[in-house]
Structures are given as C-alpha cells and as structure tokens.
Amino acid sequence: MTRDQAAVLHAAAGAVPAGGAVVEIGSHHGRSAVVLAAGLREGARLVAVDPFPDDWRYGAAGTEQRCRANLARAGVADRVDLRVATSADVRARWDGRLDLVYVDGKHDHWTARADLGWADHVTPGGWVLVHDAFSSLGVTTALLRVLATSRTLRYVGRTGSLARLQVAPPSTADRLRLLGELPWWARNLVVKVLLRLRLRPLARALGHGDAADPY
C-alpha cells in the first residue's frame, strides 16, 4: 500500500458518518485496518475480516496476533471488530448496511468476484475500494465481469492499483474508463513475470524500479 493509497483509505473512512460501518476484507498485519480506523468519526466502526490461515502465502502462524498487536500499538483496537472468518461466511450472515467496503482478500477470480458482492450492502453513493485491482489476473477479470453488467456499481478511477468504485448507476463513460486501464494492467502482468524471471533491468525499462510487484 502506497502513501497515496493510504490517503484515499483514510479520506474515505473520514467521510463515513457517525454510527456508520466499514468492512475490510483481508487484514494481514493490520496496516490498512489502522489507516481506516484512524480516519473514522466517533461512533463509526470497522469490521475487519480475515481467516488468518496458517499458510506461508498469507502470513503463516502468528499473523492474527501480530495484527491485533499492531492495532493496539496504533491505539485503534477499540474501533475494530476483528473477525477471524472468511469473507463468504461473514457476508452470508450480514444483515446491516455499510458505508464503505475495502477489498484486499484472495486474488483469484472467484474469490474476488464474491468479495465484490459486498457492494450489495453499501448505501447508495457509498464506496467499494479494491486493492491490486490492476496487478492481478484474478482481481481484474473479476472486476471486468462484475462491472460489465452491473447497474448499481460504477468505476470512478484508481490510485495506483487501488480501484475506486461507487454504488451508483454506471454510465457508458464509466465502462469505457475501466477498459482504458487494461493496457496498464497488461504492462503490470508483464512486469510481474519479468521479476519472477529475475529480469529486473527489463522491468525497469518498463518504468518499474521496485523489487516488489506493481501495486
């Protein structure tokens, strides 16, 4: 998460009214949860959802404890309802309205597509923010599939690879704006392949100077 992306999260959380609710999908060590919780007004709450599996790809054993410790260290633990469960399990039982959803869960197509279903709980005019929206095959194809036919969710823009979606009827311009991001997405996929092949000079030639994947 870049500083600019953190600023978007913080501002979006700050726009949530007192008594409002935010859901975060995928908390890991709690960095984005800290940013969101710090931006909330008095009385608003953040529900952070992560199953914290004992898998090296998702943080391995001890990730939940590190997340809770980071929330406490930042002084926001009392604003965060951390639920150790899958997004699907929590959404199946959810019956309230939301003002903001932040999606940064598993990046395969089917999980990302299901996570976008949280938009059904967001009040009109509210926001759905999606991390790694244009640096992952699964997340991008899920976005394309959902937004191609949605009548209630519009693509507004991006900050790096953080997509901003609003719960509102989309226009033709909104749909074309999403398609206009595809060349940048394709470039990011090429960069990821080059990094895995240890061809960083070629990645730099494409404008990527970081050792980490584009985000």
Side-chain angles (χ1 to χ4, degrees), residues 97-158:
R97 299 300 295 170
L98 296 169
D99 300 283
L100 170 65
V101 170
Y102 174 56
V103 177
D104 191 17
K106 289 181 68 176
H107 288 6
D108 65 276
H109 173 90
W110 299 109
T111 302
R113 184 174 167 184
D115 287 343
L116 289 171
W118 277 97
D120 294 341
H121 295 286
V122 177
T123 57
W127 294 90
V128 178
L129 305 178
V130 184
H131 200 247
D132 295 320
F134 300 106
S135 60
S136 166
L137 179 64
V139 180
T140 306
T141 56
L143 278 172
L144 289 170
R145 175 64 181 83
V146 170
L147 296 180
T149 58
S150 177
R151 297 182 180 180
T152 58
L153 198 58
R154 61 186 289 258
Y155 174 70
V156 176
R158 64 176 176 85

Side-chain angles (χ1 to χ4, degrees), residues 29-43:
H29 288 166
R31 177 181 295 181
S32 54
V34 167
V35 173
L36 289 166
L40 291 175
R41 302 182 188 184
E42 188 70 28

Side-chain angles (χ1 to χ4, degrees), residues 15-16 22 52 56 65 72 98 110 114 116-118 120 128 140 145 160 171 183 185 188 201 204-205 214:
V16 172
V22 178
F52 296 109
W56 65 268
Q65 289 71 28
L98 296 169
W110 299 109
L116 289 171
W118 277 97
D120 294 341
V128 178
T140 306
R145 175 64 181 83
S171 66
W185 168 61
N188 288 340
R204 284 195 294 270

